[in-house]
Amino acid sequence: MFDLFSDILFRLPVETHFTYKIPEDLKNTIKPGMRVKVNFNGKEEEGMAVRIHSVVPDFKTKEILKQIDPKPIVNEYQIRMAYWMSERYLAGPGECIFKMFPPGKRITKNQPEVPSETDLPRFHLNDEQKAVYDSVIEKIQNKHSTECRLVHGITGSGKTEVYIHLIHEVLKMNRQALLLVPEISLTIQLIQRLQEVFKNNLALMHSGMKGADRFRSYHSVLSGEKKIVVGTRSAVFAPLTDPGIIVIDEEHDSSFREHSSPRYDARTVARKIAADHHSILLLGSATPRIETYFNAVKEKNTIFYSRLKTRATGADLPEVEIIKIEDFNSPISGDALQKINQNIKNKEQSIILLNRRGYSPFQYCRKCESSLSCPSCSVGLNYHKNGKLICHYCGYTRPNTGVCDKCGSKTEMAGSGTQKVEDYLLSLYPEIRLERLDTDAALDSSSVGECIERLLGGEIDLLLGTQMIAKGLDAPNVTLVGVLQADYGLNLPDFRAQERTFSLLTQVAGRSGRGEKKGKVFFEALNPENSVLIHAANQDYSAFYNEEIRYRYDAWYPPFCKIVRILFRSEDEESAKLESEKFSNQINERMVRQSENEKVHTMILGPAPAPIARMHNKFRFHVLIKTVRPETLHGLLKETVSEFKKSMGKTVYMEIEFDAMDLL
């Protein structure tokens, strides 16, 4: 008998696989896509078999110790996708393959559900929705066609119903569908609507599920039992074999970017999957990313464009008023309180957003003229009602002594967080049914869902929270939305700060007046004349885009270039700085050898301390590279990174982020 071998991938940042011999008793059972146990570096480790072959290696091989899965848990396409991601994001293929499926569970025999007949949606499409539907359906029916289309619809325009009608057609063709959303717990109504139409054809996939439930849902798709996947970022890797449509709802949302290796963007991965399967990719948003909109409306567009300009119910967009903050330490202004008071009298619901959790964001010492800061991060400590000072980045916690660390003088609280606003409102309106929804109040996704259910059921008069309440809510009796410190996000040292602020304000304003009653909105701001606030108040995306795109052009930011960020972090500041300088020198040396044409189209900035110079007790330095030749830069980076890692100090960690989403 001839020997068989298996190429194994591990969850490690290495560029290659490792070959193991398959023992006699497993020769007929191990297949690509199964997990196995092997001895690796003297330890028993879990790996993924990706290839079975009879090519004898020119080195002594160890034997596979154990087969974990009775059947493959990833399919052939997922294995190919892992290698594509490895190349695209300069990550280990093993890191990529282990992103494809829920961790830790084995396939067990379950009684398969019999998929129900789907009900034709009970909502008829209006003329605008029908125009979008008609523009897409012909491409769906042509199985050899692919297209990426932006569905740019104002808040409440009925994008969901368009998705549902298109998915319904895809199922009739016996193909599959994928719908990605930013946050499952905030999309209760969307899930309920999908379940109403598609019954048990729906497979939910998100990190809030229990491990066994998540794996069971994954397996229902792998086995072909269910044909519609709804989930968050990682659901893009669902084991679909013939997706006819991929929908990314709220495509502007930053949660579609992964922040651990491989640092993939689900939107980019979805576009690759759609192209490979001749699928339609729909990107839906009221506030699309600048890059997405630019590529949809430019002369040689790479994304098709559809517009929904009116609300599906016929309701008008709410009126928005901008209120100047006169007293920074006052939780909320008198004008805003009058509006809240009137809404309470009208027995209508209100939503108040403050994108700062905790009680007070600053503990200030007048003598030192400084705030108390985290010992592990270069950010301030936030005071919470439990008497603790907490770092919102690393979680460092300590009691609040009320005195300065440096001089022992008494400290003062400055600014307001959601806890302080909650106390203030309840002191004024003790009978009000108020609930706070932020990451401190929400213990898990189920508690978030229960809070949203109470709002929709009319059991909450006022919902107060952070940005997590800005999207996905369709409560007809919400007629007042307020945003406190609306211009706070504009002060962040990030070129996307204006875009994120406009998007947040526009999205949350869209929660008001979605039923029969007219909606009202107010923004409280230190600078009410800021153009971003004015455009958001007018719900005028075009005006904001036209202003922002000129700034991006002048400063040479995306969409006029691509940005790659290489971040170095270490507990030793000098080591992080030294390695970042060495890397910058190496990439500059390689760039010098390029043609003059290539040099003109690439700019290397840094190294420099990151805006948040220390986080989780790690000092951070970054190098930014801007280019209009991403393919050329990718090749240079691949060569440089591979060589550089061999000599990089062991105490330093390097992160590479292509199409960097934030620069903090």
Side-chain angles (χ1 to χ4, degrees), residues 245-472:
I245 188 169
I246 301 171
V247 178
I248 302 182
D249 195 28
E250 311 290 3
E251 73 87 27
H252 63 275
D253 201 277
S254 61
S255 66
F256 291 118
R257 170 58 63 95
E258 173 63 63
H259 293 290
S260 62
S261 186
R263 290 171 176 78
Y264 68 90
D265 190 314
R267 291 158 293 209
T268 303
V269 174
R271 195 158 187 179
K272 165 69 173 169
I273 295 170
D276 288 347
H277 291 90
H278 302 290
S279 309
I280 302 302
L281 174 60
L282 288 189
L283 307 172
S285 178
T287 55
R289 285 187 303 164
I290 294 293
E291 294 96 316
T292 303
Y293 187 76
F294 176 82
N295 286 316
V297 299
K298 68 180 182 180
E299 187 175 345
K300 294 182 179 179
N301 63 315
T302 54
I303 298 175
F304 292 88
Y305 182 73
S306 293
R307 189 76 166 105
L308 295 171
K309 297 180 179 179
T310 58
R311 284 184 159 179
T313 60
D316 293 328
L317 286 171
E319 296 176 357
V320 183
E321 178 184 352
I322 305 177
I323 301 171
K324 181 174 176 59
I325 297 174
E326 300 291 351
D327 180 4
F328 181 70
N329 279 317
S330 176
I332 190 166
S333 69
D335 288 348
L337 288 173
Q338 286 181 9
K339 298 178 188 301
I340 293 171
N341 189 47
Q342 187 59 52
N343 232 42
I344 294 170
K345 289 179 179 178
N346 293 344
K347 299 189 183 307
E348 296 170 9
Q349 293 172 299
S350 305
I351 291 176
I352 303 297
L353 182 145
L354 171 57
N355 207 20
R356 273 184 164 168
R357 63 189 179 95
Y359 192 90
S360 177
F362 305 109
Q363 305 302 302
Y364 187 72
C365 174
R366 287 187 180 274
K367 186 174 180 181
C368 293
E369 297 183 336
S370 63
S371 299
L372 300 187
S373 59
C374 174
S376 299
C377 307
S378 53
V379 297
L381 292 170
N382 290 256
Y383 175 73
H384 284 241
K385 277 179 66 177
N386 61 4
K388 303 286 188 182
L389 295 176
I390 300 175
C391 174
H392 288 172
Y393 283 84
C394 73
Y396 168 83
T397 302
R398 77 175 210 207
N400 179 33
T401 61
V403 297
C404 176
D405 297 335
K406 298 175 182 176
C407 69
S409 300
K410 187 177 180 181
T411 56
E412 301 174 13
M413 293 185 193
S416 301
T418 49
Q419 292 178 345
K420 185 175 181 179
V421 174
E422 178 185 32
D423 279 0
Y424 186 68
L425 288 173
L426 287 174
S427 71
L428 296 174
Y429 311 109
E431 302 301 320
I432 194 175
R433 296 176 299 174
L434 183 152
E435 288 202 33
R436 175 169 53 86
L437 189 54
D438 53 30
T439 52
D440 297 314
L443 299 176
D444 52 41
S445 59
S446 63
S447 61
V448 175
E450 289 164 4
C451 178
I452 300 303
E453 289 279 16
R454 288 192 292 275
L455 177 74
L456 300 176
E459 299 173 37
I460 295 175
D461 299 319
L462 189 149
L463 179 63
L464 166 68
T466 51
Q467 63 182 2
M468 60 195 305
I469 65 173
K471 55 206 171 195

Side-chain angles (χ1 to χ4, degrees), residues 553-566:
Y553 179 82
D554 291 342
W556 202 36
Y557 278 123
F560 301 103
C561 71
K562 298 283 189 180
I563 293 183
V564 181
R565 184 195 200 200
I566 303 96

Side-chain angles (χ1 to χ4, degrees), residues 427-625:
S427 71
L428 296 174
Y429 311 109
E431 302 301 320
I432 194 175
R433 296 176 299 174
L434 183 152
E435 288 202 33
R436 175 169 53 86
L437 189 54
D438 53 30
T439 52
D440 297 314
L443 299 176
D444 52 41
S445 59
S446 63
S447 61
V448 175
E450 289 164 4
C451 178
I452 300 303
E453 289 279 16
R454 288 192 292 275
L455 177 74
L456 300 176
E459 299 173 37
I460 295 175
D461 299 319
L462 189 149
L463 179 63
L464 166 68
T466 51
Q467 63 182 2
M468 60 195 305
I469 65 173
K471 55 206 171 195
L473 297 178
D474 188 358
N477 200 40
V478 170
T479 57
L480 177 65
V481 165
V483 183
L484 311 182
Q485 302 174 34
D487 50 354
Y488 163 68
L490 295 172
N491 299 319
L492 295 175
D494 191 319
F495 77 94
R496 296 185 194 272
Q498 296 186 129
E499 180 181 3
R500 289 199 182 100
T501 299
F502 175 83
S503 177
L504 178 65
L505 296 179
T506 304
Q507 292 286 339
V508 73
R511 303 311 110 199
S512 181
R514 294 169 77 100
E516 297 178 358
K517 301 170 184 175
K518 180 72 176 174
K520 301 175 292 297
V521 177
F522 66 84
F523 300 155
E524 283 194 353
L526 288 167
N527 179 16
E529 302 301 318
N530 186 283
S531 61
V532 175
L533 303 185
I534 293 170
H535 296 324
N538 294 330
Q539 304 274 291
D540 192 342
Y541 180 86
S542 294
F544 168 73
Y545 172 82
N546 289 333
E547 184 176 294
E548 181 70 8
I549 204 69
R550 287 193 296 271
Y551 154 67
R552 299 279 185 96
Y553 179 82
D554 291 342
W556 202 36
Y557 278 123
F560 301 103
C561 71
K562 298 283 189 180
I563 293 183
V564 181
R565 184 195 200 200
I566 303 96
L567 180 75
F568 297 83
R569 50 187 172 88
S570 173
E571 291 186 8
D572 180 63
E573 182 176 12
E574 193 58 35
S575 295
K577 181 182 179 182
L578 179 64
E579 295 297 343
S580 66
E581 289 171 346
K582 284 166 55 182
F583 181 85
S584 179
N585 290 337
Q586 285 193 24
I587 197 73
N588 269 293
E589 287 171 8
R590 289 179 183 272
M591 188 58 66
V592 166
R593 296 197 289 268
Q594 296 294 304
S595 68
E596 287 301 318
N597 191 41
E598 293 293 348
K599 292 180 206 173
V600 167
H601 291 96
T602 300
M603 179 188 294
I604 301 173
L605 302 172
I612 301 178
R614 193 179 183 212
M615 191 186 299
H616 294 277
N617 204 31
K618 302 285 196 304
F619 291 93
R620 307 164 79 241
F621 289 79
H622 63 183
V623 176
L624 303 180
I625 307 178

Side-chain angles (χ1 to χ4, degrees), residues 176-190:
Q176 301 158 312
L178 170 63
L179 172 58
L180 297 182
V181 295
E183 175 60 64
I184 283 283
S185 59
L186 297 174
T187 53
I188 292 171
Q189 291 162 297
L190 170 64

